[in-house]
Amino acid sequence: MDDPGPAAAACRGGDARRAGRVQKKLAEVVAEEAERHPGATIETFATDEHRIGLKPILRRVWAPRGERPIARGHHRFEWFYVTAFVSPATGESFWYLSTGIDKGLFEDTLALFAREAGAGRDRIVVLVLDGAGWHTLPLALPEGIRLVHLPAYTPELQPAETLWVHVDEPIVNRHFDTLADLDAVVAERCVALANDRDLIRGQAGFHWWPNRAVPI
């Protein structure tokens, strides 16, 4: 195997240092919330968005030797978004589809997530997200939600980012006539993922992620 060289080694070291800083920050925030809300469960979720559309998603496939595989496609630029909220420590996840994304829509999605997850006085959700414009303050935050933003340009520290490979699984190398057709397949896939906590935890369960803090 070729030597990756000092640049690659430094990159890995940089990733580890950034992960260490985020881990320390999350531990501090969880401790703060536990002190502010004695008796509450403190859980750290991550959220991210994924754009899917009628432009086909292509992956390599096996084909007989000497034959070129064929994937039907028609490049059209119509899109919708999948938003995931995931607890890497437990595999619990919530999934939402939307026709666009902006600060108002994110506030609505955040409020819906808070209601469905039971965030409030008895369950505090520390929510990790990137610094996209619609994620930044000022935002109308539901009770029981506290935001923690990742450093810029660190998608490798976002557990929700790892889930898109599973979301895309039933739609790769396929052609869809309409967004409604695509929406139906993706919605069914999201329901299946929400019911498969072992898969979510195995994919997104970063070793440095905070465990659920349950009051004694």
Side-chain angles (χ1 to χ4, degrees):
M1 180 180 294
D2 293 336
D3 183 356
C11 181
R12 289 198 298 271
D15 290 345
R17 287 191 292 272
R18 285 191 292 269
R21 288 194 291 269
V22 172
Q23 181 182 22
K24 180 180 179 181
K25 182 177 181 179
L26 289 179
E28 292 171 351
V29 171
V30 168
E32 288 174 9
E33 293 301 320
E35 185 175 353
R36 291 175 183 171
H37 305 277
T41 297
I42 315 297
E43 190 148 11
T44 308
F45 274 73
T47 187
D48 196 24
E49 297 90 11
H50 180 45
R51 189 177 72 169
I52 296 176
L54 296 182
K55 183 177 180 180
I57 297 173
L58 301 179
R59 291 185 188 168
R60 292 182 177 181
V61 296
W62 289 102
R65 185 184 297 273
E67 294 185 19
R68 177 174 294 181
I70 297 173
R72 293 180 59 209
H74 180 193
H75 283 208
R76 291 161 297 158
F77 299 94
E78 298 177 58
W79 313 96
F80 66 84
Y81 291 83
V82 181
T83 300
F85 294 83
V86 56
S87 168
T90 67
E92 185 179 12
S93 62
F94 300 81
W95 303 81
Y96 306 101
L97 307 184
S98 62
T99 56
I101 193 148
D102 57 31
K103 188 162 285 193
L105 281 170
F106 181 64
E107 288 180 334
D108 292 342
T109 305
L110 196 56
L112 180 57
F113 161 68
R115 289 197 301 272
E116 294 190 339
R121 289 183 301 173
D122 296 327
R123 189 186 196 192
I124 306 300
V125 173
V126 175
L127 185 61
V128 177
L129 67 174
D130 63 31
W134 55 89
H135 290 164
T136 55
L137 299 174
L139 281 170
L141 294 181
E143 182 182 9
I145 300 290
R146 178 170 175 180
L147 304 185
V148 175
H149 290 90
L150 289 169
Y153 309 113
T154 56
E156 71 278 3
L157 302 182
Q158 171 55 268
E161 183 88 19
T162 70
L163 300 177
W164 308 138
V165 64
H166 295 297
V167 174
D168 292 346
E169 191 64 37
I171 64 174
V172 296
N173 299 330
R174 291 183 62 185
H175 167 79
F176 292 87
D177 288 324
T178 67
L179 279 181
D181 295 334
L182 179 64
D183 181 288
V185 174
V186 173
E188 183 178 358
R189 180 59 172 165
C190 289
V191 171
L193 290 172
N195 291 325
D196 194 343
R197 293 197 180 192
D198 289 340
L199 174 65
I200 298 297
R201 188 169 58 247
Q203 179 72 44
F206 290 5
H207 69 89
W208 49 267
W209 199 260
N211 289 323
R212 178 191 233 184
V214 180
I216 298 174

